[in-house]
Amino acid sequence: MAAQTDTPEATRTKEAKRILLAAPRGFCAGVDRAIQIVELALKKYGSPVYVRHEIVHNRHVVEDLRRKGAIFIDELDEIPEDSDAPVIFSAHGVPKSVPADAHARNMFYLDATCPLVSKVHIEASRLHEAGREILLIGHAGHPEVIGTLGQLPPGTAALIQTVEDAAAFEPRTTSENLAFITQTTLSVDDTAEIVGTLQKRFPDIRAPVKEDICYATTNRQAAVKQMAASCDTVIIVGAPSSSNSNRLVEVAQRNGCENAILAESVRQIPWHLIEDATSIGLSAGASAPEMLVQEIIDTIGEKYETEIETITAAEENITFKLPRELRDTAA
Ligand code: SF4
């Protein structure tokens, strides 16, 4: 129970919490597919299966798969030479050199790269083949950015992280020859600003035919944007390494709720923020399981009276095909 305050009325106000639940939130089709690929590979080929890097940015997902028999590695040379176990590449995508290396080592691999990341990879390769100078808008060091840059010869694409980078960029060729692509999990608003700066300087710069920021990132940000101003605090369930989860925190902060925080699980909730809040916004990044959101709702419900309202920004019904090798096992 909440601490008692001076009047019964004040106590009642303090104990009633309105939870605004963002929809959509949590798992996207790409994450769902990547997890399914590991689980189906374990079912079909047995344990272990090797997974290069975190399959998705979530400790709970990774631990769960580890318990089921997945071994997470950083690089392919960690796999014993005599192993015939499959290796799976993460949803973020990998540089071209990784499957090439697996092939050279005679490894059997399954690619869990999200098809929307693969779309950006194909785009990058086509632009390069067409002789375009490519600008990749994204965050340095993020696995997806490493994977996308790795579709191109080293040094071919320029990485643009900020409006300042866009303002300072010096093309190597003519501005008509420029093209930009983006990471899939960026802030929609920040990216629009960066693109605006580039288009102002280079009116003929080529944009992706279809938006690179994915539907899941866009929808999750729209729902948080819609509810932020009505919330005293916003909790985004997600890992510190998850780009789309961090962007949701920023979206909430910029759209009316300064008290927006990232929490990996219920254990990281700063309860003083909940205690002081009447309206609590709740969402989850694309790699956070719904179970973690429900755990937070249940725990708030144990401490306070709650009323839940869903704020829906979009309906999602997207699914992606599994790799051919696993379709029978899934059936
Ligand atoms: Fe694919 Fe978007 Fe999900 Fe990333 S966030 S895995 S790009 S659907």
Side-chain angles (χ1 to χ4, degrees), residues 86-99:
V87 57
I88 299 171
F89 305 145
S90 88
H92 296 113
V94 290
K96 263 186 179 169
S97 57
V98 174

Side-chain angles (χ1 to χ4, degrees), residues 40 83 170 201 216 225:
L40 290 171
S83 167
E170 290 299 338
R201 292 187 62 209
K225 206 169 182 176

Side-chain angles (χ1 to χ4, degrees), residues 14 40 64 79 84 123 195 229 247:
K14 198 167 185 183
L40 290 171
D64 184 51
I79 301 174
D84 59 358
E123 211 171 7
V195 169
R247 300 299 78 79

Side-chain angles (χ1 to χ4, degrees), residues 47-330:
S47 170
V49 299
Y50 291 92
V51 182
R52 187 183 174 276
H53 294 183
E54 287 190 328
I55 185 79
V56 300
H57 279 317
N58 190 278
R59 202 160 45 85
H60 298 266
V61 172
V62 167
E63 284 311 319
D64 184 51
L65 294 173
R66 193 172 274 142
R67 271 193 299 274
K68 290 176 179 167
I71 296 177
F72 290 86
I73 53 163
D74 288 328
E75 295 306 336
L76 298 183
D77 58 14
E78 291 168 48
I79 301 174
E81 271 179 26
D82 57 353
S83 167
D84 59 358
V87 57
I88 299 171
F89 305 145
S90 88
H92 296 113
V94 290
K96 263 186 179 169
S97 57
V98 174
D101 188 19
H103 189 70
R105 289 167 190 258
N106 265 330
M107 288 173 174
F108 168 47
Y109 65 84
L110 293 161
D111 192 355
T113 302
C114 174
L116 299 182
V117 174
S118 299
K119 168 203 161 269
V120 181
H121 287 183
I122 293 166
E123 211 171 7
S125 298
R126 283 190 184 149
L127 288 168
H128 177 67
E129 278 161 23
R132 295 273 189 165
E133 184 176 350
I134 303 171
L135 290 82
L136 169 61
I137 303 173
H139 299 296
H142 188 280
E144 185 187 322
V145 166
I146 294 171
T148 302
L149 290 175
Q151 306 306 307
L152 305 165
T156 311
L159 184 62
I160 303 289
Q161 302 193 72
T162 59
V163 169
E164 290 71 33
D165 288 351
F169 172 72
E170 290 299 338
R172 288 193 305 262
T173 56
T174 60
S175 64
E176 297 76 39
N177 199 38
L178 297 175
F180 74 85
I181 53 176
T182 83
Q183 192 179 328
T184 58
T185 52
L186 298 179
S187 150
V188 172
D189 293 343
D190 286 354
T191 308
E193 234 185 295
I194 293 174
V195 169
T197 305
L198 289 172
Q199 285 173 333
K200 212 164 158 189
R201 292 187 62 209
F202 313 110
D204 297 325
I205 189 168
R206 187 186 183 281
V209 177
K210 194 171 180 299
E211 178 67 72
D212 287 339
I213 297 180
C214 76
Y215 78 96
T217 299
T218 308
N219 292 344
R220 279 151 193 70
Q221 288 180 19
V224 168
K225 206 169 182 176
Q226 212 169 306
M227 74 186 189
S230 315
C231 300
D232 302 307
T233 191
V234 168
I235 300 165
I236 304 296
V237 184
S241 51
S242 159
S243 170
N244 76 83
S245 304
N246 283 300
R247 300 299 78 79
L248 291 177
V249 175
E250 290 166 7
V251 166
Q253 288 168 340
R254 288 178 193 170
N255 288 278
C257 184
E258 274 180 24
N259 288 330
I261 56 128
L262 186 70
E264 279 199 87
S265 72
V266 72
R267 281 185 295 283
Q268 290 184 353
I269 302 291
W271 286 101
H272 68 277
L273 285 184
I274 303 293
E275 192 167 327
D276 294 342
T278 305
S279 292
I280 300 153
L282 191 52
S283 185
S287 44
E290 177 64 11
M291 174 197 83
L292 300 175
V293 174
Q294 291 304 323
E295 225 170 31
I296 292 173
I297 295 175
D298 292 347
T299 311
I300 297 176
E302 283 165 16
K303 294 172 188 278
Y304 304 97
E305 297 245 333
T306 52
E307 184 192 310
I308 299 176
E309 190 185 327
T310 304
I311 306 293
T312 307
E315 303 287 345
E316 287 180 353
N317 51 13
I318 291 178
T319 52
F320 296 131
K321 269 191 193 162
L322 288 163
R324 215 176 324 110
E325 297 88 337
L326 295 174
R327 285 182 204 154
D328 288 355
T329 317

